Amino acid sequence: SVVVRTQMVILVSRLEGNAADPLLVRASTDASDAVRLRAVMALGDRSGDVRVAPLVARLTDASLDVRMAAVAALGSAASTEAFEGLLGALAGAAPALRDRIAESLSRGARQQLFLRLDELEKTSSLDVRLGVAWTLGKCKDPRGIPVLARFLRDQNAVLRASAAGAL
């Protein structure tokens, strides 16, 4: 039952070490929104890279609560994979989720964003460039202004509008 599986996730999440990780990863794909939510929250509290891929996969979950929990968990993970997953999910996300992702990127991954800004600005992926514009707007860091100014001259109208909004 859902109640038993949820309680099992809660109990397993209290285990020390990485023995619980495979169980939490499996629970993050459970049919029940409640079980997936608890598993994602528990994975967010774990350390190590094992949690990043399952959390990135939950960024497109059917449940908004699960997606929000995955964003929060990835925001605290200081890894390239978490940064890329959040950035990739940003542009196509619903407004509430997009706002949460941009906030996570602008706080937890701010340094990584600015270290890779030149590369991200030149990517051929419109979704990544839209994510960069949105996140730079949330950062309110003057180092992002030159990139946003260049985005204002991009051939894509959506990116130009996002850059204008970010400024």
Side-chain angles (χ1 to χ4, degrees), residues 23-91:
L23 296 170
L24 294 174
V25 169
R26 182 182 301 152
S28 73
T29 63
D30 193 89
S32 164
D33 292 354
V35 174
R36 287 194 318 277
L37 178 60
R38 283 290 187 175
V40 166
M41 290 168 47
L43 281 169
D45 292 336
R46 308 299 283 183
S47 61
D49 291 335
V50 71
R51 67 188 176 131
V52 174
L55 291 172
V56 169
R58 297 286 51 94
L59 290 173
T60 57
D61 197 90
S63 165
L64 179 60
D65 290 337
V66 172
R67 290 191 310 258
M68 292 288 203
V71 167
L74 286 168
S76 67
S79 74
T80 302
E81 293 80 16
F83 176 78
E84 293 291 337
L86 287 169
L87 194 62
L90 185 59

